[in-house]
Amino acid sequence: MPLVTPREFVQEKAFSLLFACTLLLLLEPMVFLTVGIILGQGHFIIAYIYKVRSGRLSLWGFLVWLLVTIFMLTVFSAPDMHVLLSLIMTLYLVTHGVLDDRFLGNPEKTRLIGLEIVILLSLYYAMVIDMVYPSLPIRGLVIAGAGLGLIPYFLLLRRSPDGLDVFSGFFLMQILLLMITMQLGFLPVLFLFNVTAALYHYCVWYVASLRKTKNNPKTRQELIGWIGSIHIILVGLFALFTHTPWGTETLFFIFDEQYFLIWAFLHFFSSTRLSDLNYFKVIFSGSSSSLATDASAL
């Protein structure tokens, strides 16, 4: 069952997309990147705080996260790994964002929803890979494949008792926007795409979290307090990083773009829900489930 009403769903997505695109248009590229890093680190910290306070972090999970952290810092902190790390992170960001969009609105597992996710991911992946390796003809191949994938999607949609609901409508809107973006190249630079998608993702989570606490003023105030205080601290640390020798030498591991990509990977890894695999399994099994569990890998 949906966790959000159709009106709330549209409002949250529209506001979040407007927020991200407005910053993209108004800010210089490097300022835009800086805003993405500061807000991103805040998002990661709040996610870890939530994980600890809700009792979702086990000792085993922490040890696995620590091992992955050591591996990432050892292998991917070298400058010559930047392009590969950016590509891996972009694909992980796309997967994380698309699955969360569905999870926050309607976590039901059906063949129709599974097809939505596969088609969206295929188009996103095509756009990302085309940015990095524009000589490959993968864009046209995946667009054609996604177009063929829409045929069984519409056949299933016709059989759906709910018809074209707001969630499926949002999926079709994303298809249209992706086609336009890919053909006209509105975001030709990979980091601009990354930051725009990340800012949209952060905003969706904050707006959705505030909605969930609308009947609990104390929890809402606590959430706003955490979000505000953490970002104020991060802005202060960034000022030290840019204006003092001590900050430049010690805080680079927070604000340097390459290190930020590593922290983002660790956030995605710790936030991955094993139950999301059911979105893909159900395409072949045909069964459906309305499980709304928040099981995660760690």
Side-chain angles (χ1 to χ4, degrees):
M1 294 297 292
L3 301 177
V4 58
T5 67
R7 182 177 179 179
E8 289 172 332
F9 180 84
V10 172
Q11 288 175 341
E12 290 173 9
K13 304 303 182 195
F15 176 80
S16 301
L17 188 61
L18 180 63
F19 170 75
C21 291
T22 299
L23 292 182
L24 171 67
L25 294 174
L26 293 180
L27 300 179
E28 292 293 327
M30 293 313 297
V31 177
F32 186 58
L33 175 61
T34 299
V35 170
I37 289 175
I38 292 173
L39 294 182
Q41 290 289 13
H43 179 70
F44 306 158
I45 293 170
I46 290 167
Y48 288 130
I49 290 173
Y50 167 75
K51 207 171 187 67
V52 172
R53 296 190 67 188
S54 62
R56 296 173 186 270
L57 183 62
S58 64
L59 177 60
W60 169 248
F62 174 74
L63 291 175
V64 172
W65 179 88
L66 190 60
L67 288 174
V68 174
T69 300
I70 294 170
F71 172 80
M72 291 299 295
L73 291 173
T74 302
V75 175
F76 287 101
S77 59
D80 60 346
M81 297 296 289
H82 185 268
V83 173
L84 178 60
L85 178 61
S86 297
L87 180 58
I88 293 172
M89 273 311 307
T90 305
L91 298 180
Y92 208 166
L93 168 65
V94 166
T95 306
H96 184 70
V98 168
L99 290 173
D100 269 10
D101 257 5
R102 174 53 73 171
F103 179 80
L104 288 172
N106 182 359
E108 187 177 17
K109 275 76 171 177
T110 66
R111 181 174 282 171
L112 185 68
I113 293 171
L115 272 174
E116 285 183 12
I117 291 173
V118 168
I119 293 170
L120 265 182
L121 289 179
S122 297
L123 287 171
Y124 271 118
Y125 289 174
M127 185 171 70
V128 168
I129 294 172
D130 185 67
M131 289 180 189
V132 181
Y133 304 107
S135 61
L136 294 179
I138 191 168
R139 176 196 290 188
L141 290 174
V142 179
I143 288 180
L148 292 175
L150 286 173
I151 296 174
Y153 174 80
F154 279 115
L155 291 176
L156 286 171
L157 189 62
R158 288 187 60 188
R159 293 166 51 190
S160 172
D162 299 324
L164 182 63
D165 63 8
V166 67
F167 303 103
S168 299
F170 182 72
F171 158 72
L172 294 174
M173 183 196 73
Q174 289 183 83
I175 288 287
L176 178 62
L177 289 175
L178 276 173
M179 292 293 189
I180 294 173
T181 301
M182 293 180 71
Q183 292 304 318
L184 300 182
F186 285 142
L187 289 171
V189 181
L190 188 60
F191 92 84
L192 287 178
F193 169 78
N194 279 340
V195 179
T196 305
L199 288 172
Y200 167 78
H201 175 72
Y202 307 154
C203 193
V204 165
W205 262 102
Y206 291 142
V207 173
S209 297
L210 289 174
R211 168 178 51 80
K212 292 176 182 178
T213 60
K214 64 182 178 182
N215 296 323
N216 192 334
K218 183 178 179 181
T219 303
R220 171 171 284 196
Q221 289 178 0
E222 189 176 88
L223 176 63
I224 294 173
W226 276 111
I227 294 173
S229 59
I230 286 171
H231 285 91
I232 289 172
I233 292 171
L234 284 168
V235 170
L237 291 175
F238 183 76
L240 291 174
F241 171 67
T242 54
H243 292 94
T244 67
W246 173 85
T248 303
E249 293 175 0
T250 59
L251 298 176
F252 67 92
F253 70 94
I254 298 177
F255 300 109
D256 176 81
E257 180 188 353
Q258 187 147 338
Y259 279 94
F260 175 74
L261 290 175
I262 293 174
W263 301 129
F265 177 91
L266 293 169
H267 164 71
F268 296 157
F269 175 75
S270 67
S271 302
T272 298
R273 293 175 295 267
L274 295 179
S275 60
D276 285 341
L277 292 175
N278 292 330
Y279 284 121
F280 305 105
K281 292 179 181 177
V282 76
I283 296 174
F284 304 100
S285 68
S287 60
S288 64
S289 169
S290 58
L291 291 176
T293 55
D294 190 21
S296 57
L298 298 181

